[in-house]
Amino acid sequence: MSVITEGAAEWTGGCQCGAVRYQLLTPPEHACICHCRMCQRASGQPFMAFASVRREDLRWTRGHPSTFMSSNVAERNFCSACGTPLTYHRVESGSIGVTIGSLDNPEAARPVEQFGIESELSWTSGLRALPGKRTEDWMREYGIAHIESHQSHASRPRKSGMSENL
């Protein structure tokens, strides 16, 4: 299975507020999900998803991220203005992983492997079985007529049906 999907001509991304933007000079070589406790804490989520490139193929095109040395082997870049996690870099490695959610087209980087499975939360395997609700339906249910986004709109439009309202 390939990491790259068709139609991903340009690999760009950035943080939620738009203060930090990046470009990948080559398509990602590998995409994965990590369930380890460090990734859970760094994201506040059950897992993180990364798409990796050689470190020299990542260019910061707007602003510069802050760096947190999360362990003796890894550092993480994030936006100090809005807190968006942007990268994971194992210091002794020549590659760097950008968070798939920070890509302008996250659908284009499909994970092919999982790490840190000893920390996988027991309920993540059943997520597909949970009832689903579109954002528009949630808004209608709670009487929300309009959401004015304060997020950066530097990214390309997403696929139809994918919400950026929240």
Side-chain angles (χ1 to χ4, degrees):
M1 176 179 278
S2 174
V3 171
I4 309 310
T5 61
E6 293 183 31
E10 187 173 319
W11 293 89
T12 56
C15 67
Q16 182 173 223
C17 73
V20 180
R21 298 280 302 155
Y22 63 83
Q23 178 181 20
L24 305 181
L25 303 180
T26 62
E29 300 167 346
H30 184 260
C32 67
I33 290 173
C34 185
H35 298 274
C36 83
R37 283 300 291 149
M38 280 195 208
C39 283
Q40 290 172 353
R41 293 212 184 240
S43 66
Q45 300 299 316
F47 56 83
M48 289 186 84
F50 299 101
S52 298
V53 296
R54 290 185 319 264
R55 191 165 178 147
E56 62 268 16
D57 290 335
L58 170 65
R59 294 284 184 269
W60 300 107
T61 58
R62 181 184 310 148
H64 293 285
S66 293
T67 302
F68 175 65
M69 192 78 171
S70 61
S71 71
N72 62 319
V73 298
E75 63 184 19
R76 297 168 187 269
N77 287 324
F78 64 96
C79 174
S80 62
C82 68
T84 302
L86 296 168
T87 70
Y88 168 87
H89 169 63
R90 192 167 44 85
V91 179
E92 297 297 322
S93 168
S95 67
I96 189 165
V98 298
T99 53
I100 290 177
S102 72
L103 287 166
D104 292 338
N105 185 5
E107 186 68 34
R110 185 173 301 227
V112 296
E113 188 173 21
Q114 299 183 74
F115 294 100
I117 60 171
E118 70 283 353
S119 299
E120 181 178 5
L121 301 178
S122 63
W123 49 264
T124 59
S125 63
L127 291 176
R128 289 296 280 164
L130 294 175
K133 188 177 291 186
R134 296 185 56 79
T135 303
E136 298 81 22
D137 297 334
W138 173 83
M139 289 172 61
R140 190 171 25 265
E141 181 179 330
Y142 288 94
I144 300 169
H146 172 74
I147 296 174
E148 182 179 320
S149 175
H150 296 174
Q151 295 183 23
S152 169
H153 294 287
S155 66
R156 292 177 286 161
R158 294 174 72 179
K159 245 170 57 176
S160 175
M162 297 186 77
S163 176
E164 287 192 20
N165 295 330
L166 307 175

